[in-house]
Amino acid sequence: MNPLIDDRLAELLFRSLRLGDLADLPAFADHDPETFRLYVDACRKVGRQVLWPTYPTTDAEPPTLQDGRVTLHPETLRGFEHVRELGVIAATRPEAVGGQQLPLAVATLAHAYLMAGNLSTAGLAWLTTGAAHLIEAFGEDALKATFLAPMMSGRWTGTMALTEPHAGSSLGDLTTSATDAGDGSYRIRGAKIFISGGDHDASENVVHLVLARIEGAPDGVKGISLFAVPQRRPAAFGPNAADGPLEPNDVHVAGLIHKIGWRALPSLALSFGDEDDCRGWLIGAPHRGLPQMFQMMNEARIGVGVTAAATASVAYHEALAYARDRTQGRALGAKGGDQVAIIEHPDVRRMLLRMKAIVDGSLALSVATARFSDLAANGPEAERDRAHAILDLLTPITKSFPAEFGYEANVLAVQIHGGYGYSSEYVPEALLRDQKLNSIHEGTTQIQALDLLGRKVVAGGGAALRALNETIEAAIADARKASVDEAIIAPLEAALGEVGKLTMELGMKGAGGDLDGMLGHGVDYLTLFSIVVIAWQHLCLATTARSEDSDFHRGLVQSARYWAATELPRVALLAERCRVDRSYLELDPSWL
Amino acid sequence: MKILVPVKRVADPDNANKVKVSGDGTKVTSDGLEWKMNPFDEWSLEAALRLTENGSSKDRVGEVVLVSIGPKDAVQTIRQGLAMGAERGILVESDDDSLDSHVVAQVIAAIAAEEKPDVIFFGKQSADGDSNVAGTKLAEMLDWPLVNYAMAISTDDEGKSFTVKRELDVGQQTLKVQSPCVFTSSDRILQPESVKNGVTPADFAYPESEGGRYASLKGIMKAKKKPVDEKSLADLGVEAKRVNEYVKFDLPPARSGSTTFVESVEELVQKLHSDAKVL
């Protein structure tokens, strides 16, 4: 049985990130370390016992579209019912809106098990949390009274309807329109695409959070507003709206996307206002849609990070079990004798160690970033700004590293399975397909690179980078005190210095007007920065682990050694590429 | 209706390979084990919760009291049950080594004298010791009727009497008992319509499940405020005097772990006969 996530790692993260201490903050006073652990345990059980057994079937038999309505697989419905009852959607929200005020760090760790069990089913809840949170943060009281309770309980689900056929990463170019209807609502008209969970039979209603342009709004990103557009609109607003009649709201399914992963979660093309009778309600101020959306972005992107970590983790455990069980060949130089398990072959262990280092680092980073989010919102006043700066800086890395390197781990799982891995009878290929989305949705890796280098590291004159440096230097000091192997520490120290130097140089290029020179290698910069941040995570794990004497703890130290020996040396190489390589900057498209 | 459910923590059966035997072979060491509620107790707890609720509205209509005997951190097992929906808990402190089925039955009998439950719902056995004794012994001590391996239970008089179906190798047996009484359960008690309490609508069916219900976050938060009494063996007038002496524990022999592929049923039968010598 695949454990999905290593419980020992979850427990170690609990200790090394001192998640229990979060209960000492006034915001989380209703909790104690035991409620945190019980929730992780509850999610672990539902992930393993309910969701994971549904994964192969729901991947193989995607939802169907008939007469304009989408039908989910019965196993998805059953799984979602459990996820709903767990209280996943509102877990981190305050009691006043039906939640339990759980720290995001604890929720991130717990929900890793659900995402690992079946990301499509758990994804339905995750999307709803994001949509409801926007209404909670920016909606007027009447909207909150109407939408929040049914969404937080999962009676209604939510979506993010941003992308249009011609406007994906470039949201400033979207054209969906909103016209004041004079009764407090707007008439919405336009087309959206790739809307996950846009229609289905797991809830009574779907609330789309739609980005649209109010008539006469300024061009570009400064003219975009956010609307709540229910698929069916309540006849009357207020706390009992969900119990009253619902009328059609002129939202139509224009098509079901056939996709390679997340296959149990329908992704749709939707059209709004074909009959000019689609009503939306403005969330927050006019033209403030994007900034509002971005305030919620850190949370959504941490969600992608942990989902990617979970997807890689499942593949790692699948490959590990296979490598222990599958006998093939003999040790190098051995003549005759029984065949050995393939884990005895050095290169299989290389692949497994690489996967482990990626998975452990990704999960640790996701929970650590979520913890900064908790401290930024609910920590001691004096620490909030600093936590916020580090959160902002780590978010693009948390969003992209688990997705990009996790994909590599998923590829290795297929490789370890050999010919069987290439067959759909075995689960690694499905996980590989799922993983690919994580470098695309909620801001592609390329967008993350621009966010990190073009915005985050230069913000406040490099204040965030300094704050992160201090945090990593403190971890290095702790590690030295604990006599962690210098071979793990020294390369990190050197690489950290390299990041600082390179950032300064690229910043100067940008300031001098050479934006291509600064940002052209953004993804390389993101990669090298990620390698350093993951090395820091491994160092923290190794520091906590080194006093313990068990195979698991020795494994963590070995991952840290591996990362320091094979990945950190790449930092200097990638930095050099950022400085001098102009091959594709100077490439004329006509040469291709 | 008041139901007492004894819940034991056991080493996680999914990680049974972590169980170690002490150097002298006379006890199982508990160092570094991950604990779980005994799965058989979980079935009984689930049945007890179904007997004391309206399954459709989820309103509670009775009381479930959990008892666990063990060191202080055994309270986690009680909290888990409280998060599933039980009303309160009692932790009887004792170290694991001084317990056997006899001591356990004495403890529960002493608690029954204080609590006066209608039903004591045991797991049929514990997943670690596999003794299958405590429930039977308790019924004998209390001189209460005992129904082992209940697969279906119904009451229409709020627990004054029960109609219980038992699963036997040769078929099913239906009997009627008056409370107070002792039950143990079979896994079929978890089937969607195995428990009827006269409150849950007759056409209501629970979801298919292989264990107890999952705790929700809301349930976990509620559980934090539910009372757990702590008692000592002395408080209950029980002397920790085992009647069993454990002479020796052995771990199962390591599995060879080799896999042989066969081409046909004939070859399989032949190999089972000549190589594995199991036929």
Side-chain angles (χ1 to χ4, degrees), chain A residues 40 81 98 131 139 201 217 227 230 237 255 296 313 358 373 380 400 413 584 586:
Chain A
V40 173
E81 189 55 29
D201 50 350
F227 297 87
F237 272 35
M296 299 292 132
S313 176
I358 291 169
S373 170
S400 60
Y584 50 86
E586 291 165 0

Side-chain angles (χ1 to χ4, degrees), chain A residues 103-120:
Chain A
L104 186 66
V106 178
T108 298
L109 182 58
H111 297 168
Y113 285 92
L114 301 175
M115 285 302 198
N118 191 328
L119 78 186
S120 291

Side-chain angles (χ1 to χ4, degrees), chain B residues 168-232:
Chain B
L168 307 174
D169 282 350
V170 291
Q172 295 176 0
Q173 179 187 53
T174 303
L175 32 87
K176 266 189 134 51
V177 284
Q178 304 293 319
S179 61
C181 53
V182 178
F183 293 153
T184 73
S185 57
S186 87
D187 61 342
R188 294 177 68 180
I189 201 72
L190 299 172
Q191 290 193 346
E193 298 184 72
S194 285
V195 174
K196 301 280 180 197
N197 64 358
V199 178
T200 297
D203 59 352
F204 179 83
Y206 283 92
E208 295 279 350
S209 146
E210 288 171 12
R213 62 194 61 188
Y214 300 101
S216 69
L217 181 52
K218 205 176 259 179
I220 290 166
M221 297 309 286
K222 271 196 202 154
K224 217 186 138 202
K225 299 192 174 84
K226 291 176 179 175
V228 178
D229 286 346
E230 293 189 8
K231 291 178 188 294
S232 67

Side-chain angles (χ1 to χ4, degrees), chain A residues 180-440:
Chain A
D180 195 339
D183 60 357
S185 74
Y186 286 77
R187 288 181 194 276
I188 307 293
R189 190 186 264 276
K192 296 285 179 181
I193 197 165
F194 307 136
I195 308 308
S196 295
D199 186 80
H200 56 79
D201 50 350
S203 65
E204 297 165 21
N205 200 3
V206 179
V207 181
H208 305 288
L209 275 275
V210 175
L211 286 182
R213 219 174 258 296
I214 298 174
E215 270 186 351
D219 285 342
V221 293
K222 294 205 165 81
I224 295 173
S225 306
L226 181 65
F227 297 87
V229 184
Q231 183 185 47
R232 297 192 299 149
R233 60 188 183 227
F237 272 35
N240 300 317
D243 294 321
L246 299 172
E247 301 161 358
N249 192 31
D250 196 14
V251 179
H252 304 279
V253 178
L256 180 67
I257 315 290
H258 300 276
K259 45 187 182 151
I260 63 168
W262 294 63
R263 281 161 58 91
L265 181 64
S267 175
L268 304 171
L270 295 176
S271 73
F272 296 85
D274 287 357
E275 291 142 32
D276 204 24
D277 188 30
C278 174
R279 301 303 180 92
W281 285 267
L282 183 66
I283 307 278
H287 317 318
R288 295 288 299 158
L290 270 193
Q292 288 171 184
M293 188 76 85
F294 272 100
Q295 283 191 39
M296 299 292 132
M297 220 28 135
N298 286 334
E299 219 167 288
R301 288 178 172 168
I302 294 168
V304 174
V306 76
T307 301
T311 304
S313 176
V314 180
Y316 165 67
H317 288 291
E318 206 66 23
L320 178 61
Y322 187 80
R324 288 192 198 286
D325 194 51
R326 169 79 169 164
T327 56
Q328 202 71 190
R330 288 155 189 87
L332 293 175
K335 299 228 166 36
D338 286 345
Q339 297 204 73
V340 298
I342 60 172
I343 198 167
E344 299 296 331
H345 300 309
D347 197 65
V348 173
R349 290 205 298 282
R350 173 191 66 84
M351 291 190 277
L352 287 167
L353 183 58
R354 181 158 186 80
M355 292 171 83
K356 178 179 165 57
I358 291 169
V359 167
D360 293 359
S362 295
L363 193 65
L365 177 62
S366 303
V367 181
T369 306
R371 192 176 191 281
F372 282 112
S373 170
D374 287 319
L375 293 177
N378 297 304
E381 284 291 343
E383 286 178 33
R384 288 188 186 180
D385 286 350
R386 184 188 154 81
H388 214 293
I390 298 177
L391 165 68
D392 282 347
L393 188 63
L394 289 180
T395 296
I397 296 166
T398 307
K399 159 67 177 69
S400 60
F401 174 86
E404 294 288 350
F405 281 66
Y407 185 77
E408 198 192 319
N410 283 91
V411 169
L412 291 172
V414 171
Q415 184 72 18
I416 288 172
H417 279 73
Y420 294 109
Y422 201 64
S423 125
S424 49
E425 300 290 311
Y426 285 72
V427 81
E429 65 85 27
L431 296 164
L432 176 68
R433 290 187 275 106
D434 284 345
Q435 183 69 284
K436 196 60 234 146
L437 183 63
N438 293 318
S439 66
I440 299 172

Side-chain angles (χ1 to χ4, degrees), chain A residues 30 34 45 49 85-86, chain B residues 79-80 214 216-217 224:
Chain A
D30 282 347
E34 200 175 310
K45 278 189 184 163
Q49 297 169 11
E85 278 189 7
L86 257 179
Chain B
R79 290 274 171 221
Q80 190 193 329
Y214 300 101
S216 69
L217 181 52
K224 217 186 138 202

Side-chain angles (χ1 to χ4, degrees), chain A residues 65 150 236 397 430 495 499 504 515-516:
Chain A
L65 173 64
I397 296 166
V499 171
M504 188 80 83
L515 285 180
D516 276 348

